[in-house]
Amino acid sequence: MASIYAIKSKNGITKFYGDITYNGNRYRKCLATNKKSALLELNKFEHEIFTSLLSEPSTPKIEVNKAYWDFLRNLELSGVKDIKIGVLPRLKRFYEYLINIRIIYLEDITPIHIQTFLNKRRKTRVMQGTRIISTSSVNREIQVIKRFLSYCVSMQMIDRNPALAIQYFKKDNTKQRFYFSDEHTRAVLENAEEFRDFLYFLLHTGLRPTDTFTLKPKHISNGYLKLQMNKTGDYLNIPLSESIMDIIKPRLINEFIFPEIDTSWNKKQCLKNVRKNFEPDFVRKNNINLHTFRHTYAHNMLNKGVPKEVLQTLLGHRSIKTTEIYANWV
């Protein structure tokens, strides 16, 4: 976009300047002392700018395949194993989609490609059943794609992140989240075996499983749980009950409070242990997982008359609106 503007100096002489904006860069130049001459000079100025831009050496194209493996290698070097477990399968699906539609270079990825992939994911059936992938799962895939392409931008593989235009899907908060009844919790804890302490802790603190996996003795201080939450980065500082402290105290000699769930295989076994107490159809219908203990804790606390503002602090919610989702069902 090219334009002309005039500036009058102190001695009364008016000078006309050219202003050209291209690809986010702005170029300005004094052209003449009258508008007619300035218009002629503006054409020359435009020609100079575009000629110089075209003569600049082009940046070599980076292949999607190279960027994909560089990103995973960087992730591995960071040493965050749990994050890699979640990132790898989600990013792999997007990578295979790009290969299938013959996208070879990073710079050829457009927001339309990403949106089309996500729309297909939302319609994907699970285990040949009728359940559609949840909105939360698709949003996590968006997060991974954004992170991958942001890495590519930071490493100067591409100039812009095409995923910035992608919006997260809105969750349907009208549906009540499943929580365990007293009968359910009794059955789960009675059959929990080596995972009983871990599950009891989830049930009576409401802490997210991802934070509990990496809980260390340094996070326990004078009967309080103090840590930075993985999901939001906010700090949590909440009191622990005597029954929870009785479980934790013998474990303070370990590197992690719950070493029985320190590997991905152990985490899967723990979830399998919980789900074995219910029929498979019931598990699928209610999406029973380790996060269900957090829903149960919230429901139980509200049933005991705990104000939603207090529960917000105990759960570490940034917004009271998130806590109100539970409050509206009780």
Side-chain angles (χ1 to χ4, degrees):
M1 180 180 177
S3 61
I4 289 179
Y5 63 93
I7 297 179
K8 192 172 184 178
S9 62
K10 293 181 180 179
N11 57 13
I13 298 175
T14 300
K15 293 183 179 180
F16 290 85
Y17 291 79
D19 191 316
I20 298 174
T21 301
Y22 183 76
N23 275 351
N25 296 317
R26 191 177 181 187
Y27 307 89
R28 285 173 286 184
K29 180 181 180 182
C30 182
L31 301 176
T33 55
N34 64 79
K35 190 172 184 178
K36 185 176 180 180
S37 298
L39 288 170
L40 294 175
E41 291 297 322
L42 181 63
N43 291 330
K44 295 180 182 179
F45 183 38
E46 281 187 284
H47 180 72
E48 290 174 6
I49 295 297
F50 294 138
T51 300
S52 63
L53 290 173
L54 290 172
S55 63
E56 291 180 358
S58 59
T59 305
K61 293 183 177 181
I62 304 298
E63 294 186 2
V64 173
N65 181 62
K66 180 183 183 307
Y68 172 75
W69 289 109
D70 280 356
F71 175 73
L72 293 182
R73 196 174 298 112
N74 177 266
L75 201 64
E76 186 174 0
L77 291 174
S78 69
V80 189
K81 296 180 180 179
D82 289 334
I83 292 179
K84 184 179 178 183
I85 291 168
V87 169
L88 185 56
R90 296 185 181 107
L91 184 59
K92 185 179 180 181
R93 281 191 286 266
F94 179 62
Y95 169 70
E96 291 175 345
Y97 165 77
L98 294 176
I99 300 301
N100 288 336
I101 62 173
R102 301 183 185 280
I103 297 293
I104 298 176
Y105 298 106
L106 276 175
E107 65 179 36
D108 294 331
I109 302 174
T110 67
I112 294 176
H113 292 136
I114 302 172
Q115 194 66 61
T116 302
F117 165 76
L118 294 170
N119 290 338
K120 288 183 176 179
R121 285 292 295 151
R122 291 199 82 193
K123 296 176 181 177
T124 301
R125 303 287 176 173
V126 179
M127 298 175 63
Q128 297 181 351
T130 58
R131 183 169 68 86
I132 298 177
I133 291 176
S134 70
T135 301
S136 296
S137 295
V138 179
N139 283 341
R140 282 193 287 270
E141 298 205 5
I142 295 176
Q143 189 177 28
V144 169
I145 293 170
K146 284 178 179 282
R147 181 177 176 181
F148 164 61
L149 293 173
S150 177
Y151 167 82
C152 294
V153 172
S154 65
M155 299 304 291
Q156 299 182 352
M157 298 181 184
I158 48 176
D159 295 327
R160 296 183 180 182
N161 186 344
L164 291 178
I166 304 301
Q167 300 295 320
Y168 290 99
F169 293 102
K170 292 184 179 180
K171 298 180 182 179
D172 180 12
N173 291 324
T174 59
K175 182 180 178 181
Q176 182 171 350
R177 295 172 183 175
F178 175 79
Y179 59 90
F180 294 127
S181 66
D182 292 342
E183 184 180 348
H184 291 153
T185 54
R186 277 195 298 271
V188 169
L189 293 177
E190 285 175 2
N191 299 302
E193 299 174 2
E194 72 268 30
F195 304 112
R196 188 187 186 283
D197 286 355
F198 170 70
L199 298 179
Y200 186 90
F201 183 90
L202 293 181
L203 184 64
H204 292 279
T205 63
L207 192 66
R208 293 184 182 91
T210 51
D211 290 319
T212 313
F213 292 154
T214 56
L215 203 61
K216 295 184 177 182
K218 67 178 182 179
H219 297 132
I220 311 299
S221 176
N222 298 323
Y224 274 76
L225 174 64
K226 301 179 180 181
L227 81 162
Q228 186 177 16
M229 295 179 289
N230 290 321
K231 183 177 181 180
T232 63
D234 295 338
Y235 286 88
L236 190 68
N237 187 354
I238 59 173
L240 297 173
S241 66
E242 290 185 11
S243 61
I244 291 297
M245 287 304 301
D246 288 341
I247 288 175
I248 289 177
K249 284 177 182 177
R251 295 170 168 269
L252 295 177
I253 60 173
N254 302 322
E255 180 183 2
F256 293 99
I257 299 294
F258 297 105
E260 61 267 36
I261 41 88
D262 62 345
T263 66
S264 59
W265 188 86
N266 286 339
K267 293 179 181 68
K268 290 178 181 178
Q269 289 301 113
C270 180
L271 179 57
K272 186 177 179 181
N273 183 291
V274 172
R275 288 175 170 174
K276 72 180 182 181
N277 296 282
F278 309 93
E279 293 295 326
D281 288 343
F282 188 83
V283 171
R284 285 193 292 269
K285 180 181 177 181
N286 296 290
N287 190 27
I288 294 176
N289 52 53
L290 296 180
H291 202 80
T292 305
F293 288 89
R294 183 170 168 87
H295 299 328
T296 305
Y297 170 81
H299 185 274
N300 290 344
M301 294 297 281
L302 287 168
N303 262 341
K304 292 177 181 178
V306 174
K308 61 185 179 182
E309 293 79 9
V310 175
L311 182 59
Q312 177 189 2
T313 301
L314 295 175
L315 291 174
H317 287 158
R318 281 186 174 181
S319 172
I320 190 66
K321 292 182 179 179
T322 307
T323 314
E324 286 174 346
I325 294 173
Y326 297 104
N328 291 336
W329 300 331
V330 176

